[in-house]
Amino acid sequence: MSPQETTQRGLDRLSTILAFRLLVATVLLVVVALAQYLTWTPFYASDTLFTIIVITYLTVIVVGLLASRFERSPVPRWIYLMANLVLSSLFVQTTGGVQSGFTFLFILTIIDGAVLAGMPVALGVSGASSLIYAGQLFLQYQGIFPLALEVEVSVGEYFSQLTAHLLAFNLVGILAGRLEGRVSVALESQESAEGDLRRFRRLHARIVENIPIGVFTMDFAGRIQSSNGAAERILSEMGLADETRLSLELKEKLKEEGSAEFELNSGTRTLGISMVQSQELDPAEGHAIVLISDRTYARQLE
């Protein structure tokens, strides 16, 4: 894969992730607005949540602008991942920390890291998420960070939440990184195969264009759809460029059978024709493949 293709693929992935992050921010905005309207108790700091969501929108816009300007630089991706770690931790803490139902925001950031940069970054983001979440729970247990609901949370609940989330963060990092690695290998194989196919088609086109035998395709009405240089030259030299006489001959042969081989005389010249119908052709390319050659010299020798 060329450097330009790699850069373009990275930009496409980042654009998709930014669009998805905008969708997530919009959903959170709706949830917080609805929660404030219904006065749900866990959302006691709705103003703070609105601020976090607005910062998320601004982050997406800034990263998008930086990515379009610095296409080859990894800086926009790092800014995006670090900003999302901070914003996710703030959102989780504002909605209650150990009582929050929004810890999935950390998981989304881990998946983003895997998609943008593979296994190493996914593991790095999962490790950072684990440390941040563990620090939040520790400070909350010490009473430094408040609880969303005025209920007592036992040490066992803190421990179970911490264990479950640390396990989830790191498992998602490993699985997302491995999946991204497999997807990258599959995409590279596909692009390599497509490149080989393009090279084969170019080679095939050059061969067909340069062989001395005329090759063209025609439809059932006898109209020539495509032809190589040799076919155009032979038809022009033998006065058959208008396709009229040749079309009549070939139309009759097409009606009779699927393939045919015959000679067509044009004054002192003899044209050898081999024709076969093909189901593999695209309808726009015709329904039959015709090979033509000038056999005048061979007939003179005979």
Side-chain angles (χ1 to χ4, degrees):
M1 186 186 301
S2 66
Q4 290 182 345
E5 291 175 338
T6 303
T7 301
Q8 186 59 46
R9 191 171 76 177
L11 288 175
D12 291 342
R13 290 185 176 188
L14 182 58
S15 299
T16 303
I17 287 174
L18 291 178
F20 180 72
R21 182 61 65 169
L22 284 176
L23 176 62
V24 172
T26 303
V27 172
L28 292 176
L29 179 63
V30 172
V31 170
V32 172
L34 184 62
Q36 188 178 44
Y37 176 76
L38 298 175
T39 62
W40 289 348
T41 305
F43 292 84
Y44 65 93
S46 297
D47 292 339
T48 303
L49 295 178
F50 281 127
T51 302
I52 295 171
I53 294 171
V54 170
I55 294 174
T56 301
Y57 279 114
L58 294 176
T59 300
V60 170
I61 294 172
V62 170
V63 171
L65 293 174
L66 290 175
S68 62
R69 185 172 181 180
F70 304 101
E71 297 180 355
R72 298 181 181 276
S73 175
V75 172
R77 286 175 288 178
W78 287 111
I79 292 175
Y80 171 79
L81 293 174
M82 289 188 291
N84 272 286
L85 277 175
V86 173
L87 292 172
S88 298
S89 64
L90 289 175
F91 204 95
V92 168
Q93 184 56 51
T94 305
T95 53
V98 69
Q99 300 168 314
S100 175
F102 294 92
T103 51
F104 67 89
L105 294 174
F106 284 115
I107 292 177
L108 292 180
T109 305
I110 295 169
I111 295 174
D112 289 346
V115 173
L116 290 175
M119 173 76 82
V121 174
L123 293 178
V125 176
S126 64
S129 300
S130 300
L131 290 175
I132 292 172
Y133 187 71
Q136 286 180 299
L137 263 60
F138 176 76
L139 293 174
Q140 200 167 32
Y141 176 72
Q142 295 295 324
I144 299 175
F145 288 168
L147 293 169
L149 297 174
E150 295 300 327
V151 295
E152 186 175 350
V153 181
S154 65
V155 177
E157 187 172 349
Y158 275 108
F159 182 77
S160 63
Q161 288 288 336
L162 178 62
T163 303
H165 283 86
L166 295 189
L167 185 61
F169 292 162
N170 289 280
L171 282 177
V172 169
I174 294 172
L175 293 175
R178 287 181 62 85
L179 181 59
E180 169 57 25
R182 291 178 179 272
V183 170
S184 297
V185 171
L187 288 175
E188 290 175 2
S189 299
Q190 179 184 357
E191 290 168 357
S192 177
E194 290 176 350
D196 292 339
L197 180 59
R198 287 193 295 269
R199 286 191 293 272
F200 174 77
R201 286 177 173 172
R202 288 195 296 268
L203 176 61
H204 177 267
R206 285 197 296 268
I207 292 174
V208 171
E209 185 62 31
N210 290 286
I211 58 175
I213 298 175
V215 181
F216 65 87
T217 59
M218 58 170 291
D219 59 17
F220 282 121
R223 291 186 296 265
I224 295 177
Q225 302 297 315
S226 62
S227 61
N228 67 348
E232 295 172 0
R233 184 180 66 255
I234 294 172
L235 292 175
S236 178
E237 290 176 354
M238 301 190 70
L240 298 171
D242 61 356
E243 307 176 15
T244 305
R245 184 182 173 191
L246 184 62
S247 296
L248 292 175
E249 293 282 349
L250 295 177
K251 282 170 64 178
E252 293 300 322
K253 298 294 182 182
L254 280 174
K255 292 177 182 178
E256 295 172 4
E257 49 189 325
S259 61
E261 186 170 351
F262 60 97
E263 290 185 349
L264 180 65
N265 294 315
S266 177
T268 59
R269 308 287 292 276
T270 301
L271 188 67
I273 300 176
S274 296
M275 177 184 61
V276 61
Q277 293 189 47
S278 176
Q279 302 297 326
E280 303 299 325
L281 288 174
D282 186 277
E285 298 175 347
H287 298 279
I289 301 172
V290 183
L291 305 179
I292 57 175
S293 59
D294 189 351
R295 295 185 182 175
T296 305
Y297 183 67
R299 291 293 172 260
Q300 289 174 352
L301 289 178
E302 291 177 0

